Amino acid sequence: MHSRIGLFLSPVHETGQDPHLAIRRNLDLVEYVDDLNFDEAWFGEHHTLGWGLVGAPETLIAAASQRTTQIKLAHGVVPLSGHHPFHVASRAVHLDHLTRGRYILGVGPGVPFDAKMFGLEQPVQRRRLEEALPTVLELVNGDERITQQTDWFDLRDAKLQLPRFSPQGIEVAVATSGTSQSSPRLIGQYGLSMTSFALPFALLTPGAPAHINLAHQWKYAEESAAEHGQTLDRDKWRIALPVHVAETREEAYADVREGYDRWLFEYFGKAAGRDVLSPDVPREKALEARVEAGGALVGSVDDVVAGIERLHEITGGFGTLLVYVADWTSWEKTNRSMELLARYVAPRITGSAARPQEAVDFAIASRKK
């Protein structure tokens, strides 16, 4: 039984705490949701701004593979602009073995803050993604030797020595944040999976392009797939956004309000230098405004179920909801939110609670005959 729910761990952790314990927390959380039957856990890669502490997500994936049994573990994502494609492919195949086929390779161009430290402009990031992606796909899931020379990597009769564990191949996903059509079109071109971020308030940097909504991201991917003779599967479309569930709506908002404020204004505002608040929204209503805009789900079980159903309506349907874990509240309250998601939200989304209820209804109806 699939929950249709996963985790997306950038991971970001508020400064001022022990970074060692913060990293350990990520592994503990993945182990916890594995027991709760979450489907996936994605690990991001960041090198700047202080909050994103994990620069080598493959090490966490490897560690998590030994502490979990059924959850799929994913790169979220490998910035191909900063890695030699052969090394990306080699690590992917090793992780495919360590997880026994539970690994997903997520790729993207990379975040601009890290790129600046590496001396890369955004156009270069995207060009490198386009150059490296078909090479990685062949190395990971193909059988041919590759000879390729670019201005940043060179391959001569390259082929991995280790066969992949998964005979059907490793699933490859491309991340898109809705800032450009290029990633959705790459997804369509190669028939890959798509992971979308529903974080519109993080994209208000002055001069940034208008946000491409989720439905249009899929539309661009489908158009590209048709042009290149590929097919896409909505079941392999993930949408990531922050989610917090509590017994009541009031409790849920109270749980995360202060942490959300620090995450929004200290991390995205001060550290990242982004314009995070619309002029017509007062700071004390920033969280409500984000939820209303579709950038987060906060509330009771009923509220979150309704929010997920709205997401399906506006997108035309997708596969998995990835809970973006932003450390907005205590670990205990986060764990409780995950439990509520698994026990009460997921069954209503997947329909897995229907048969037990049907048995009750049948028993009652039978006695009335």
Side-chain angles (χ1 to χ4, degrees), residues 231-247:
T231 57
L232 298 180
D233 184 357
R234 282 184 178 269
D235 201 45
K236 293 184 178 179
W237 183 15
R238 286 95 173 172
I239 295 177
L241 77 168
V243 181
H244 184 76
V245 194
E247 274 69 13

Side-chain angles (χ1 to χ4, degrees), residues 83-325:
H83 295 270
H84 194 293
F86 189 90
H87 295 154
V88 173
S90 181
R91 290 193 292 265
V93 170
H94 277 83
L95 290 171
D96 188 37
H97 280 269
L98 285 175
T99 62
R100 294 191 173 185
R102 292 186 287 128
Y103 172 70
I104 301 167
L105 172 58
V107 300
V111 296
F113 312 106
D114 293 349
K116 183 178 180 181
M117 185 170 70
F118 302 140
L120 296 175
E121 300 295 332
Q122 265 193 304
V124 176
Q125 285 182 283
R126 294 201 174 274
R127 174 178 62 80
R128 287 188 174 188
L129 170 63
E130 293 174 5
E131 289 175 340
L133 181 57
T135 304
V136 169
L137 292 175
E138 181 61 36
L139 289 169
V140 167
N141 287 330
D143 298 302
E144 300 300 320
R145 291 190 175 273
I146 295 177
T147 296
Q148 183 180 4
Q149 186 172 26
T150 71
D151 61 354
W152 61 289
F153 73 85
D154 193 356
L155 289 171
R156 302 179 187 182
D157 294 321
K159 185 178 181 179
L160 297 181
Q161 299 180 108
L162 182 67
R164 55 190 171 271
F165 178 87
S166 303
Q168 75 278 13
I170 296 173
E171 183 180 354
V172 180
V174 176
T176 173
S177 59
T179 58
S180 168
Q181 297 182 25
S182 62
S183 290
R185 293 198 178 279
L186 274 179
I187 291 163
Q189 181 178 347
Y190 295 103
L192 304 177
S193 303
M194 182 160 79
T195 300
S196 299
F197 294 90
L199 298 171
F201 284 10
L203 303 170
L204 295 177
T205 305
H211 183 257
I212 301 171
N213 67 38
L214 294 169
H216 278 87
Q217 290 175 34
W218 185 259
K219 175 175 173 286
Y220 292 135
E222 279 195 319
E223 289 175 350
S224 178
E227 292 170 8
H228 294 90
Q230 301 281 2
T231 57
L232 298 180
D233 184 357
R234 282 184 178 269
D235 201 45
K236 293 184 178 179
W237 183 15
R238 286 95 173 172
I239 295 177
L241 77 168
V243 181
H244 184 76
V245 194
E247 274 69 13
T248 67
R249 182 183 306 172
E250 293 74 19
E251 183 182 347
Y253 275 92
D255 285 348
V256 301
R257 189 176 301 280
E258 290 184 6
Y260 172 75
D261 188 88
R262 292 191 296 271
W263 174 82
L264 184 65
F265 290 96
E266 297 297 323
Y267 178 47
F268 277 107
K270 289 184 180 179
R274 286 175 166 168
D275 184 3
V276 295
L277 194 62
S278 298
D280 57 342
V281 176
R283 180 164 178 163
E284 62 272 16
K285 292 295 183 182
L287 178 56
E288 283 84 354
R290 184 181 188 90
V291 172
E292 186 177 345
L297 296 174
V298 177
S300 66
V301 167
D302 288 342
D303 292 330
V304 172
V305 168
I308 296 172
E309 290 173 345
R310 282 195 302 273
L311 266 178
H312 278 281
E313 289 173 7
I314 66 176
T315 61
F318 60 95
T320 301
L321 177 76
L322 296 179
V323 178
Y324 176 95
V325 182

